[in-house]
């Protein structure tokens, strides 16, 4: 939810062109846990004080986990 609000704010401030919010119910899995751990270990939440939109860099092993999440949920 927090990231959705930040993405909408970024679009309003012209940091990004547009945002589409998708409501998904993705079950917590080992893949989700690995991605969450990576994000929490490498990034902090600046809230709405951001000056620009920062796209999180995803190393190949995290991209693989994200693709597995999409495949597991028939989204990719």
């Amino acid at each position: 939810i927090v990231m959705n609000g930040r993405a909408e704010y970024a679009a309003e401030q012209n940091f990004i062109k547009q945002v589409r919010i998708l409501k998904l119910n993705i079950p917590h899995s080992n893949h989700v846990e690995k991605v969450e751990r990576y994000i929490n270990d490498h990034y902090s939440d600046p809230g709405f004080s951001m000056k620009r939109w920062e796209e999180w860099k995803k190393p190949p092993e995290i991209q693989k986990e994200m693709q597995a999440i999409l495949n597991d949920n028939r989204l990719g």
Side-chain angles (χ1 to χ4, degrees):
I1 300 291
V2 172
M3 295 309 294
N4 290 348
R6 288 187 68 239
E8 290 173 339
Y9 176 80
E12 290 170 359
Q13 299 301 312
N14 295 315
F15 296 147
I16 57 177
K17 290 183 181 182
Q18 66 180 8
V19 62
R20 270 182 38 192
I21 306 298
L22 300 175
K23 184 176 179 180
L24 301 172
N25 186 14
I26 295 177
H28 204 78
S29 67
N30 289 333
H31 302 296
V32 171
E33 188 175 309
K34 289 176 184 176
V35 172
E36 286 177 344
R37 191 175 322 118
Y38 171 79
I39 290 170
N40 290 333
D41 289 347
H42 292 87
Y43 298 98
S44 62
D45 179 10
F48 291 97
S49 64
M50 64 180 151
K51 303 284 188 255
R52 62 183 173 79
W53 180 257
E54 178 183 4
E55 184 172 342
W56 293 343
K57 305 294 184 235
K58 297 172 278 303
E61 62 270 13
I62 296 302
Q63 288 178 353
K64 186 176 177 182
E65 295 296 334
M66 293 182 78
Q67 188 61 50
I69 294 167
L70 295 174
N71 292 342
D72 289 349
N73 291 279
R74 297 182 181 101
L75 299 169

